[in-house]
Amino acid sequence: MSTSSQLLSRRAFGRLAAGVAATAGAGALSACAGGGGKPSADAPLRIMAINHVWSQAVKRRIAEFEERVGRRVSMTLLTADQLASSYNVKLNASGTDVDVMMVRALQEQLLFGHNGWLADLSDRVADDRFAWGDFQDAPREASVTAGKVLSVPVVTERPALYYRKDLVADLGGPPRTLEALMEGARELTRRKDGFYGYVGRGQRSGAVSQWSSFLYSYGGDFVVDGKSGIGSAEAVAAYEYYGRLLAGSGPPGATNMSLEQALPIFAQGKAAFFVDADAIYSSFLDPKVSRVRETVGFAPFPAGPAGAKPHNIPSWSLGINTFSRLRDDAWEFIRWAAGPEMSAALQKEGIPGARTSVWSDPKTLSAFPPELAEAMRINAERGVGHDRPRVLQVGRARDIVGRPLVAGILGQSVRPVVRDADAEFADFLVRDNRHKES
């Protein structure tokens, strides 16, 4: 999932970004990838993945795949920072000791593609047996860089509106619009009692991914026609809305809140509304950490002036190391792990997949609360395929874009901060886009 605990640290991302210059010749090297001949049948297929419920579930089934291809599989599960560091070391050295790579299409893929670290899968996904057209539009589009399919999505994520069912009856049910969310949050806020109408991420960089759905629903985007879009009237309105929402109805210290700080406030029954990733829903049903398991409700993202436009992203995807000498077996793994049968089986376990077919089959949705399953389905249909700027230096971009969010939450005038951030982001994009000329 794309929670803040899984984001690249700035230090780890800096190590990755430093690899751009060091691997400028990677495209040429990829032509001879696999040099030295194919490894023997005793050589394992090596998979590096995030330690996530999806990869844990696949690892439990790995014997099935080993029998299918007749090759031993070594699957290593790491934290996001460990994964980033390992990729940086191995791929900068054109290492052949990793075959399948679990990556974030919206965080690393552009950089990895620029470096020549991910194999082009365009011809492979075109195989009718794989049914590439079955993948949801937004995650499928996010898998493409410079016209090439560089990854296959396996886990998706959207925002959900979490709400207290016991508190919204007098409001006519969960809010269907952002205006109604604002009004309901203000009405239910009781600061003297330590109860808040809304809780959400407010940390400068970490809040950007969740704010993206507010931005799109106001009719804006991070980048428009290759230029900064955060200075548009629509973006300014989205900044001001989010600032007012948390400033007027949120808990103190909201600008320091990432997912880890915001989630417990809702789980402990101290907030009426919370917008965050649908993948975290089980936290509110766990009696060990939640006091709202009997009263929590789930709803689609509310509509703004431009309609309801939540993000619908591939939080984790699979790619193949350009330098792998087992690329055929690596593709067989992806075809198996991301195929229709596995996607359906894992979704039945409550792991949200990327294929349209698994979202249209009631059997595959049985693991989710019915209200949540419907909200996830609706959000997927409406979804925008990115929740952050699609640039090489994602961490730096998020830091710039997040500055006006902090100003709004602190009750400051947003417009002058937006003007400065817009100019900074415009300059950033000029520099970040230079890779397109190389």
Side-chain angles (χ1 to χ4, degrees):
M1 71 184 71
S2 67
T3 64
S4 55
S5 63
Q6 294 175 335
L7 295 175
L8 282 173
S9 67
R10 291 185 186 178
R11 182 171 60 183
F13 185 83
R15 291 195 296 267
L16 288 172
V20 173
T23 59
L29 285 172
S30 67
C32 58
K38 188 173 181 177
S40 70
D42 295 333
L45 181 75
R46 281 171 280 207
I47 301 163
M48 293 187 66
I50 186 73
N51 189 8
H52 182 280
V53 290
W54 181 91
S55 43
Q56 292 165 4
V58 168
K59 191 170 185 177
R60 290 194 296 270
R61 295 167 165 84
I62 211 70
E64 174 190 328
F65 177 74
E66 290 177 323
E67 184 176 349
R68 174 173 174 161
V69 296
R71 184 178 295 279
R72 184 166 56 90
V73 173
S74 170
M75 190 171 183
T76 303
L77 306 186
L78 302 170
T79 67
D81 278 357
Q82 290 170 336
L83 201 60
S85 297
S86 295
Y87 287 156
N88 185 46
V89 171
K90 294 177 182 295
L91 301 175
N92 263 316
S94 304
T96 62
D97 56 342
V98 56
D99 303 297
V100 179
M101 302 163 56
M102 201 166 178
V103 298
R104 290 165 293 191
L106 297 172
Q107 190 77 16
E108 303 102 356
Q109 182 170 300
L110 189 59
L111 176 65
F112 284 12
H114 174 70
N115 287 356
W117 290 349
L118 288 170
D120 184 0
L121 305 179
S122 303
D123 291 341
R124 295 185 187 271
V125 300
D127 185 336
D128 289 341
R129 294 173 298 170
F130 189 60
W132 183 233
D134 182 37
F135 286 82
Q136 296 171 348
D137 290 344
R140 191 174 69 238
E141 290 166 7
S143 304
V144 179
T145 295
K148 299 176 181 178
V149 177
L150 297 184
S151 66
V152 171
V154 290
V155 185
T156 58
E157 182 179 293
R158 294 136 300 274
L161 172 61
Y162 300 100
Y163 68 95
R164 288 278 298 277
K165 291 187 289 188
D166 55 325
L167 299 178
V168 303
D170 293 340
L171 303 177
R176 294 179 175 83
T177 67
L178 291 179
E179 182 181 1
L181 174 62
M182 179 75 76
E183 292 174 357
R186 286 181 172 175
E187 184 174 336
L188 294 170
T189 297
R190 304 188 306 275
R191 279 207 162 98
K192 286 197 239 177
D193 300 328
F195 187 83
Y196 309 99
Y198 183 84
V199 65
R201 303 189 201 188
Q203 202 174 58
R204 179 167 171 169
S205 176
V208 169
S209 59
Q210 293 307 315
W211 176 70
S212 68
S213 296
F214 294 83
L215 173 64
Y216 307 148
S217 298
Y218 264 87
D221 206 334
F222 298 107
V223 179
V224 179
D225 296 328
K227 299 178 181 179
S228 172
I230 67 171
S232 69
E234 294 82 4
V236 171
Y239 276 124
E240 291 179 335
Y241 173 91
Y242 198 75
R244 290 197 311 272
L245 183 62
L246 274 171
S249 306
T255 57
N256 296 317
M257 287 188 178
S258 62
L259 174 65
E260 284 76 11
Q261 290 77 41
L263 186 152
I265 292 177
F266 186 84
Q268 291 301 303
K270 297 178 180 179
F273 300 110
F274 179 36
V275 170
D276 213 290
D278 53 19
I280 65 171
Y281 78 94
S282 59
S283 298
F284 305 127
L285 304 178
D286 184 352
K288 295 179 182 177
V289 297
S290 176
R291 294 182 180 177
V292 299
R293 62 186 183 277
E294 301 296 333
T295 58
V296 62
F298 314 94
F301 188 81
K309 295 187 176 180
H311 65 257
N312 179 34
I313 64 162
S315 51
W316 288 99
S317 303
L318 298 176
I320 297 176
N321 174 16
T322 298
F323 310 110
S324 166
R325 293 187 290 169
L326 288 172
R327 281 183 288 183
D328 288 343
D329 285 349
W331 170 249
E332 281 303 308
F333 175 81
I334 294 177
R335 197 161 73 86
W336 170 75
E341 296 82 6
M342 182 67 77
S343 297
L346 296 187
Q347 185 131 329
K348 286 179 182 177
E349 295 183 13
I351 303 170
R355 287 183 175 271
T356 302
S357 57
V358 301
W359 288 99
S360 59
D361 182 354
K363 294 179 182 178
T364 64
L365 299 177
S366 59
F368 303 101
E371 190 183 34
L372 176 63
E374 180 64 5
M376 295 167 83
R377 185 191 65 77
I378 291 172
N379 283 338
E381 289 179 354
R382 298 170 175 172
V384 177
H386 57 284
D387 65 346
R388 64 203 76 183
R390 300 198 69 182
V391 294
L392 281 177
Q393 300 179 66
V394 179
R396 177 62 184 140
R398 291 173 67 136
D399 195 55
I400 297 170
V401 170
R403 187 150 57 94
L405 287 173
V406 173
I409 296 167
L410 293 176
Q412 301 170 0
S413 176
V414 165
R415 291 176 184 269
V417 184
V418 169
R419 282 196 297 270
D420 290 346
D422 183 47
E424 186 178 4
F425 192 48
D427 181 63
F428 164 87
L429 289 173
V430 171
R431 290 180 280 108
D432 193 82
N433 283 334
R434 285 177 184 157
H435 74 278
K436 295 178 181 177
E437 303 168 4
S438 61

